[in-house]
Amino acid sequence: YGAPGYGASAGGAYGGSSYGGAGGYPQGGYGGAGAASAGYGGSSSSMPGGLTIRARGLPYRCSREDLLEFFRGYNPVPESISLVMGPDGRPSGEAFISFLSENDASRAMRDLNRKYLGERYVTLSSA
């Protein structure tokens, strides 16, 4: 599970600021320095792009490239994609993606919610 494309940049998969350090999670939060740098459930106001959405139900081997292909035509910000890792260091099937505009994110949620990526359907919501 050390394949390229998994985890967040700079600080690992849990480098955010709002989850806390208890319960076996590293100090500093849950979310990483990618799209979810505000931490799991934190504000998306500092994110690049117009709006950040949460994707759940992803295939466990999903890569950033897979997500860019899934959201093609909706203007995702490539460097914003953050694949969430579980406490065991394995992919959780969840990711955060920012878009160039709020309209792009809204269209993606409307058009792609519950569409299949591989053999799994993906649920999309506002982060």
Side-chain angles (χ1 to χ4, degrees), residues 9-87:
S9 60
Y14 302 97
S17 62
S18 66
Y19 191 84
Y25 293 98
Q27 186 64 34
Y30 187 71
S37 61
Y40 185 83
S43 168
S44 62
S45 62
S46 64
M47 304 305 152
L51 181 70
T52 300
I53 66 172
R54 176 183 184 186
R56 297 177 67 190
L58 299 170
Y60 294 112
R61 295 203 177 266
C62 183
S63 69
R64 284 182 172 87
E65 292 75 22
D66 294 331
L67 289 171
L68 285 172
E69 179 64 26
F70 184 73
F71 290 108
R72 187 179 358 154
Y74 296 92
N75 300 314
V77 178
E79 54 276 354
S80 76
I81 297 173
S82 178
L83 290 149
V84 179
M85 307 300 271

Side-chain angles (χ1 to χ4, degrees), residues 56-59 113-123:
R56 297 177 67 190
L58 299 170
N113 189 40
R114 298 198 175 244
K115 298 292 182 190
Y116 280 80
L117 179 58
E119 295 187 12
R120 297 184 57 119
Y121 72 88
V122 178
T123 57

